[in-house]
Amino acid sequence: MTDLETRAAPSRAGALRRAAPALAGYAAVRALGLLALFLWSGARDKSAYTLLTARWDALWYVRVAELGYGYEVRLPNGDVHSNLAFFPLLPWLERLVAALSPLSYADGGFLVSLLASLAAAWGIFAVADRVYGRRAGVCAVLLWAVLPVGIVQSMAYSESLFTALAAWSLYAVLTGRWVTAGTLALLAGLTRPVGLAVVAAVWVTAAAAFVREGSTAGPDATDTPADRGTRTRRVLAMLLAPLGTAGYVLWVGHRTGRGPLGYLDVQAGWRNGFDGGYAFARFVAEKFTSFPAALAGAGLILGVASVVWLYATGVRQRQPLPLLVYTGIVTALALCASSYFGSKPRLLLPAFPLLLPLALALSRARVRRSAAVLGVVAVASAVYGAFWLNGSGPP
């Protein structure tokens, strides 16, 4: 057991009261972002709601909810975009909302994302509060809310749903609730391919706990029923965690007739894969062949360097093992994907532990100064989100 595991967790009602300032601040930031989007879209004679629910990936999720799997688009260059690339939990929930209410599948996706974003904010607070205290928890939630691509948290995408499941799974690991952690990891694995990061966090932390127990157990150590129960729950979590990702990937392989690697073939049809960052590095290098594209290239390098620095700072600050494992894998998968370079900021949204060093620094500053910084960034984020979603938006 770690110190984080042995510290008593608050009751559910107490936890909600403790998180209330963070959730209220999060709701205010998201409301500001949506207001800016509706005003900007109205000025351009566009529907903000359509931008949130019926473009890009949101359309693919709706098609899965409405038609099931099997829909694909064949492009003139021979690429095949199959909806098998999209994991099923969000469209399942969209279908459930539509079955239980008069809402459409797209409406259901927006509602799920709205509720999931609040659950994600609460989960981020719970993790940060557990590790660094309440003020750091509030700052972590607000930093996640004011990210430049924070508007995605309000879209009918799977980022908010995945982040909620991942954050609460990590919190369950930190508090020793192993079966809960494994179950939430299973659900995260049904939401996005990066669910592997949650699975790895559960597995590595559980394995480390077994190793630690083995190394500290002496010849006279007693094995109590409570100890045996904890080990049993830990093993059960390790068995549950990969079932979501593995189950869907194997089903896709069976569906396509291409075996266990069939999902990789589906992703290849989208020209997406993992190449260690080579394609992204080449994409950045090509920016320096002209001006002002070189400024964009410099910005990309600065952004990647900032992400690496934040992760290294988390390591130096000795963040708990599950957070480091999870964040490292999410970051690596986002930065080293071989396609959709404009999606990388969106793909990094679930890597919320990267924000903990900044949250810790803000929590130690004067409240007035922290509030001023976050307020300015919130306005900038709202304006940028409205501009971005009315333009290129998230691919």
Side-chain angles (χ1 to χ4, degrees), residues 129-148:
D129 178 29
R130 188 79 182 175
V131 178
Y132 293 124
R134 188 183 191 187
R135 284 191 64 182
V138 173
C139 291
V141 170
L142 294 178
L143 284 170
W144 191 66
V146 302
L147 288 172

Side-chain angles (χ1 to χ4, degrees), residues 178-179 182-183 230-242:
W178 287 103
V179 176
T183 302
T230 297
R231 289 197 296 273
T232 299
R233 290 189 293 273
R234 201 180 294 149
V235 170
L236 183 56
M238 296 177 74
L239 294 174
L240 285 171

